[in-house]
Amino acid sequence: MEEFDDLELTPAHKEVLLQIAQKQLAYQLTIRTIAGEQDLITRNLDGNKMLEHIYPKPYLDVLTTEEGDWGRNKILARSNFLKKTNPPFYKAMKSNFEDDELMWSAIGKLYKARLYTVAKFLTDHNANFILGSDTPAMNMFTNPPGLNGFLEMQHMFEAGIPLEKIFRAATFNNARAFHMESLYGGVEKGKIANLLILNSNPPKLRQRLQRH
């Protein structure tokens, strides 16, 4: 249990991550893979007004029903699998919580904290980040198309990655990773880009990222 709860990187982990950073290998964090499940357990995205612009209303209505809770129930049912495959571990984990919901929520937080630890280490060693939410195969509403990429950027910011590096990860780094930098990833003649032109620097966006 002590090893499971440990957030410190081992020397072996550090060595692998250091090589990734030094060789400038493209690295995609995909924090939403874990955070999406955690949001599902805690219902963190329930009532999020942004979802109204992504999902049709009938689908949002279904999410408020018992049938709409299938994804959350599927995650909580992992307790039964753990009981069968590793009873001592399940017993040790469960002893710290009143119910399985609290246990899996805590496990999700731990996994996310580990990802943040990895992100901070790579940031400190100037790693080559690329952006992608890696939305899981499980059909969870907490991994909304389009918005999930923005949520991934919020996690990257929380993990200590500067906004400048996040912006580069979402533009030039991605294009370079797929050898498409001649067409994408920059604003210059001959390249393809979707631009959002603002009248001024958006300080509210920075404040929002800092709050989350």
Side-chain angles (χ1 to χ4, degrees):
M1 282 301 299
E2 291 182 2
E3 292 183 1
F4 184 78
D5 292 335
D6 191 4
L7 294 178
E8 292 294 324
L9 294 172
T10 66
H13 288 141
K14 288 182 179 179
E15 178 59 29
V16 171
L17 293 173
L18 192 59
Q19 288 187 39
I20 290 173
Q22 290 176 341
K23 293 179 180 180
Q24 287 293 284
L25 300 178
Y27 195 94
Q28 182 179 329
L29 286 162
T30 64
I31 299 171
R32 287 304 302 168
T33 302
I34 296 297
E37 290 194 359
Q38 187 184 17
D39 288 342
L40 192 64
I41 295 172
T42 62
R43 294 188 170 95
N44 187 46
L45 288 185
D46 278 10
N48 190 317
K49 291 297 182 182
M50 287 189 288
L51 297 183
E52 297 177 3
H53 300 285
I54 299 170
Y55 296 130
K57 189 177 184 304
Y59 178 67
L60 293 174
D61 291 339
V62 169
L63 295 177
T64 65
T65 66
E66 184 177 348
E67 291 81 2
D69 236 4
W70 71 269
R72 184 169 176 272
N73 293 333
K74 186 175 181 179
I75 293 175
L76 296 178
R78 291 172 182 170
S79 295
N80 296 327
F81 176 78
L82 200 56
K83 289 177 187 176
K84 296 177 181 178
T85 57
N86 197 338
F89 179 75
Y90 173 78
K91 185 176 180 180
M93 284 292 300
K94 185 65 168 55
S95 64
N96 297 316
F97 304 97
E98 295 180 4
D99 55 43
D100 287 350
E101 179 179 337
L102 292 174
M103 182 183 74
W104 286 110
S105 178
I107 290 175
K109 289 180 181 178
L110 177 64
Y111 285 162
K112 190 168 76 169
R114 286 177 176 173
L115 285 168
Y116 280 18
T117 300
V118 169
K120 186 63 169 63
F121 182 89
L122 289 171
T123 299
D124 292 343
H125 291 86
N126 195 33
N128 175 29
F129 290 111
I130 58 175
L131 177 67
S133 60
D134 193 23
T135 298
M138 184 173 160
N139 185 22
M140 300 186 297
F141 81 93
T142 52
N143 290 124
L147 178 60
N148 216 34
F150 176 67
L151 297 176
E152 182 77 13
M153 288 190 283
Q154 286 184 325
H155 291 307
M156 293 173 73
F157 185 76
E158 289 175 358
I161 302 177
L163 290 176
E164 292 78 8
K165 285 185 176 293
I166 297 173
F167 182 77
R168 189 174 178 85
T171 53
F172 179 74
N173 288 1
N174 268 11
R176 182 175 59 183
F178 288 96
H179 306 291
M180 301 177 69
E181 61 268 37
S182 63
L183 288 176
Y184 300 99
V187 181
E188 56 186 281
K189 185 177 180 180
K191 288 192 175 183
I192 302 170
N194 295 318
L195 301 179
L196 177 63
I197 308 299
L198 306 176
N199 292 327
S200 61
N201 188 42
K204 289 185 178 180
L205 176 58
R206 181 182 290 268
Q207 293 171 5
R208 183 173 184 179
L209 284 168
Q210 291 172 334
R211 283 200 305 271
H212 289 276

